[in-house]
Amino acid sequence: MKTNAIYIHPAPVRIWHWLNALGFILLIITGYHIRFPESIHLLSLEQAIRIHNYTGFFLIANYLLWLAYYFNAGKVQIYFPDFRTLPELARRQMRFYGYGIFQGEENPHTITLRDKFNPLQQSAYLGLMFFLLPAQIFSGLFLWKVKGFENYIGLLGGIKVVATIHVLLFFFFAAFLMVHCYLATLGHTPLAHFKAMFTGYEEHHTHLPPNHDGGTP
Amino acid sequence: MGRKIVLMQRVAISLIIIWCSWCSPALSLDNYECFFCHGQQHPGATAANTDDSRRRFFIDPQNFNRSVHNLNGVGCTECHADINSLKHGKAVPHVTPAASPTCTDCHSATGAAFASSVHAEASNKGIIMRCYACHDPHYVIHQEAASVSERQNRMCLRCHNPYIFHDWLPQKEAHFSFVECTACHAPKVAHHVHLTFYDLVSNQFLSGDTVLNLLRIDAAGFLPLIDKNQDRIIDVNEFETLGLMLRQRDTRIIFHAELVADLAPAVHSLTKKNAEKNCGNCHTANSPFFNNVTIVLSKADGTVDHHEVERAVLEGYHLSHFYALASTRFRFLDKVGIAMLACGFCLVMGHLSVRIITVRQRRPRRQTQSPLEHKGGSA
């Protein structure tokens, strides 16, 4: 078996990823505190709200930097699957996760610089980064300044509707984070993907020549 | 002898009656006599009276007639008790200056509450607060039907700028819009959530009488019409039915909720240092601040009928504009959220379990297979 390493996660992406991870954990803890203050007493409610707000703004800035980086580097297309081939590729990927992986089969998707995500990841991240995260950002902004955004809140049906969107997405992202961390253990070793997100190099077990997909630096 | 005594008694009684009938106009002046001068823009127009003082002594008779004092039969000389006779012919036909009325003669409980308030403490700084600094006794009206903004504009905001002292408070504007100052600054006073009717077409609050007209009932018929199970509490279903009834009358009426303090005398014991500053007391599940919810049907005289409503209406989407973090949250969402987390957890644990169980199965395959495993990313 030959092990190659592809430089798949450039430094800005890694920094963004870990800042995002830290921010999400803070938002989930403080969000839980705000939603269920009677069940947790780590902070006062006022402190939880302040930390939640500051972290929220930090993550908005982080998101905008991510967006600017991907658009500027011309890499944003890695988030957009080819919808013509998507159903078949997604089916193969689902079969792999649901069956093949237990049989020791080969992952049908090969990581390359231009094809970083498998079809399921692509679809999930497309929805996450371009729909759900902006929805969470806007609902969070509206909740941060209820009176300032009262016209927009009114258009959406009232503060309770906005809070519902924000809370459902909060639960979704908390569940997603759990699944995301687990899926990260499905590399060739349980820590391979974690390591890659620190070093930038994804170890690539392949029979193909090292420079096949853009080359390892 | 006996006849003489009886005769003398009769004479004495007659004299008392005559004296009383002669004195009574002086002892109890009628309001109209006061308004003869004070109801005009220029009472007692003399060289000594400047325009300012003329305005100062002017009492608008129409507004006075609508005041709580007048509606309860409290006339001018009930408070201005030192004016017990008029000397006609003089420029100012009564004692001057008139003594300041003592409100606490009648409002003793209010006076006792006020004595322990931050307003009373202000006298230490040389600021003397009298009742009429906040309440104009000539025009005082019922406040029960008033919205939070009306209550604040009439009282607190005349002197205080709340934006100066509430930097610590998240969502200041939302709090000031939906929570009456006294809800926090008179923490010992009971609170209730006050549900009023708001017409989205005319953009104004509707009086109780208007709502009753729309429902084609009188005040006594409101509860029997809405409270079908006759427990004297409007539950969630009955509340929804009320909303439906109003929509069936071709109206666009919604309920407007605000948190207000009960207008008991104790509400005058306002405090600054002991004001409610612990967000957790209000923003928690089952917060006592939201235990009492009432529909307010206001009447023409400013009084109101309160109808108790089940607290659960605050936790649904019936009042989509009124949301207090944690305390009026929609509980069903929590169940949905727990289900989402449980799904994620089960997915992870299920997959992990099968991975562990099938380790042996994969081992021989790996040994025979070409080294092409786990190529792709997964996170």
Side-chain angles (χ1 to χ4, degrees):
Chain A
M1 185 170 71
K2 194 170 182 178
T3 302
N4 295 313
I6 308 174
Y7 188 64
I8 203 86
H9 306 301
V13 174
R14 280 178 282 144
I15 294 169
W16 167 82
H17 175 270
W18 289 115
L19 289 177
N20 215 35
L22 186 70
F24 261 67
I25 290 166
L26 268 177
L27 283 182
I28 288 170
I29 293 169
T30 52
Y32 182 87
H33 210 302
I34 293 166
R35 180 76 180 171
F36 306 103
E38 64 279 356
S39 63
I40 185 169
H41 301 284
L42 278 175
L43 305 160
S44 71
L45 182 61
E46 189 193 332
Q47 287 169 328
I49 291 171
R50 279 196 200 288
I51 295 172
H52 197 80
N53 288 347
Y54 285 131
T55 313
F57 279 113
F58 173 75
L59 282 191
I60 291 172
N62 203 32
Y63 175 78
L64 293 175
L65 285 175
W66 169 85
L67 204 61
Y69 173 79
Y70 267 93
F71 272 101
N72 195 40
K75 291 182 174 177
V76 76
Q77 75 272 14
I78 65 166
Y79 284 89
F80 291 88
D82 181 348
F83 288 100
R84 288 167 299 184
T85 56
L86 179 66
E88 175 54 21
L89 293 176
R91 190 197 61 75
R92 282 168 57 193
Q93 196 66 39
M94 272 193 276
R95 187 194 167 279
F96 171 70
Y97 283 134
Y99 178 75
I101 194 168
F102 306 125
Q103 302 294 320
E105 286 179 11
E106 181 186 348
N107 191 327
H109 175 256
T110 305
I111 295 178
T112 67
L113 278 176
R114 292 180 186 281
D115 194 12
K116 185 174 163 181
F117 300 128
N118 71 45
L120 293 181
Q121 283 176 303
Q122 262 183 330
S123 310
Y125 287 138
L126 179 70
L128 278 170
M129 299 306 292
F130 294 98
F131 297 100
L132 299 184
L133 204 51
Q136 189 70 332
I137 287 172
F138 281 109
S139 60
L141 278 173
F142 291 169
L143 291 172
W144 164 69
K145 209 82 171 164
V146 172
K147 287 302 280 182
F149 292 109
E150 66 182 341
N151 291 338
Y152 298 106
I153 292 170
L155 282 175
L156 287 168
I159 185 75
K160 278 230 175 100
V161 175
V162 177
T164 298
I165 294 169
H166 200 72
V167 168
L168 284 179
L169 287 174
F170 153 74
F171 283 123
F172 171 80
F173 280 116
F176 167 79
L177 196 64
M178 190 160 46
V179 175
H180 178 75
C181 291
Y182 172 72
L183 290 176
T185 66
L186 298 184
H188 71 276
T189 67
L191 292 178
H193 289 322
F194 289 97
K195 208 171 135 191
M197 198 41 90
F198 281 107
T199 61
Y201 289 91
E202 189 77 55
E203 286 183 9
H204 194 175
H205 292 215
T206 179
H207 62 292
L208 296 170
N211 290 326
H212 170 74
D213 48 20
T216 50
Chain B
M1 190 66 183
R3 276 190 167 185
K4 256 188 178 177
I5 291 170
V6 171
L7 187 67
M8 281 174 70
Q9 280 177 341
R10 284 180 180 174
V11 169
I13 290 166
S14 303
L15 284 171
I16 288 168
I17 290 169
I18 291 164
W19 185 81
C20 285
S21 62
W22 177 75
C23 288
S24 60
L27 283 176
S28 144
L29 293 170
D30 274 331
N31 290 346
Y32 79 88
E33 292 176 86
C34 305
F35 282 119
F36 187 77
C37 294
H38 289 279
Q40 299 174 41
Q41 293 282 4
H42 307 285
T46 66
N49 287 342
T50 62
D51 282 346
D52 276 349
S53 66
R54 286 170 192 164
R55 274 196 293 274
R56 193 176 148 208
F57 294 121
F58 170 68
I59 307 296
D60 180 351
Q62 285 185 328
N63 284 336
F64 176 81
N65 289 341
R66 283 196 285 265
S67 73
V68 172
H69 283 145
N70 183 58
L71 293 173
N72 285 303
V74 178
C76 305
T77 53
E78 299 279 345
C79 301
H80 300 284
D82 55 325
I83 302 175
N84 50 28
S85 66
L86 295 177
K87 290 174 182 162
H88 297 291
K90 287 185 118 185
V92 181
H94 56 73
V95 290
T96 53
S100 294
T102 311
C103 309
T104 49
D105 286 350
C106 294
H107 302 283
S108 54
T110 302
F114 178 83
S116 61
S117 73
V118 67
H119 286 146
E121 284 170 19
S123 64
N124 298 332
K125 299 177 190 168
I127 303 167
I128 306 298
M129 285 279 294
R130 299 199 187 282
C131 304
Y132 26 90
C134 303
H135 307 277
D136 188 327
H138 302 110
Y139 309 129
V140 66
I141 55 172
H142 285 289
Q143 296 274 12
E144 285 93 338
S147 66
V148 164
S149 63
E150 285 170 332
R151 291 177 185 215
Q152 290 171 347
N153 288 336
R154 285 174 195 163
M155 300 287 169
C156 315
L157 301 189
R158 285 163 61 189
C159 296
H160 300 286
N161 178 353
Y163 288 89
I164 294 175
F165 300 104
H166 294 86
D167 281 341
W168 63 275
L169 180 66
Q171 301 281 0
K172 281 196 281 281
E173 296 87 351
H175 279 101
F176 298 155
S177 299
F178 291 102
V179 183
E180 191 184 4
C181 305
T182 46
C184 299
H185 286 278
K188 290 178 184 167
V189 178
H191 314 90
H192 66 271
V193 176
H194 178 115
L195 302 179
T196 46
F197 299 85
Y198 188 79
D199 183 16
L200 291 173
V201 176
S202 61
N203 274 333
Q204 59 185 14
F205 290 101
L206 297 184
S207 69
D209 291 338
T210 310
V211 173
L212 294 174
N213 282 339
L214 282 169
L215 295 171
R216 293 168 198 152
I217 50 172
D218 59 10
F222 182 77
L223 207 54
L225 178 71
I226 308 302
D227 182 26
K228 294 294 181 196
N229 59 8
Q230 298 181 345
D231 61 354
R232 304 198 67 75
I233 298 172
I234 299 171
D235 63 28
V236 175
N237 290 334
E238 291 161 352
F239 190 77
E240 281 174 2
T241 307
L242 172 59
L244 192 65
M245 284 177 180
L246 289 168
R247 280 197 292 279
Q248 284 170 344
R249 299 280 186 257
D250 288 334
T251 59
R252 298 284 296 161
I253 295 172
I254 59 164
F255 289 96
H256 182 81
E258 295 175 332
L259 180 64
V260 297
D262 290 356
L263 295 178
V267 86
H268 292 86
S269 60
L270 293 164
T271 176
K272 183 179 179 186
K273 60 176 180 278
N274 294 324
E276 189 60 79
K277 271 188 99 169
N278 184 354
C279 308
N281 286 347
C282 190
H283 294 283
T284 183
N286 307 320
S287 161
F289 281 78
F290 303 97
N291 278 349
N292 299 320
V293 184
T294 58
I295 285 180
V296 175
L297 287 174
S298 59
K299 299 176 190 169
D301 63 359
T303 57
V304 295
D305 281 337
H306 280 122
H307 297 286
E308 194 179 343
V309 179
E310 190 184 4
R311 177 191 168 127
V313 300
L314 300 179
E315 293 162 6
Y317 291 97
H318 316 287
L319 301 158
S320 61
H321 70 286
F322 187 83
Y323 176 57
L325 277 179
S327 39
T328 67
R329 66 179 187 247
F330 185 42
R331 306 288 176 108
F332 181 69
L333 275 191
D334 300 343
K335 291 175 187 163
V336 173
I338 288 165
M340 285 163 85
L341 291 171
C343 283
F345 183 75
C346 290
L347 190 73
V348 168
M349 294 313 290
H351 202 269
L352 181 64
S353 304
V354 180
R355 265 171 87 194
I356 292 167
I357 291 165
T358 55
V359 165
R360 284 187 179 179
Q361 200 176 326
R362 283 196 299 277
R363 218 168 265 159
R365 190 182 171 110
R366 272 199 192 127
Q367 286 161 0
T368 56
Q369 202 181 27
S370 64
L372 291 172
E373 277 194 78
H374 302 292
K375 292 196 299 177
S378 303

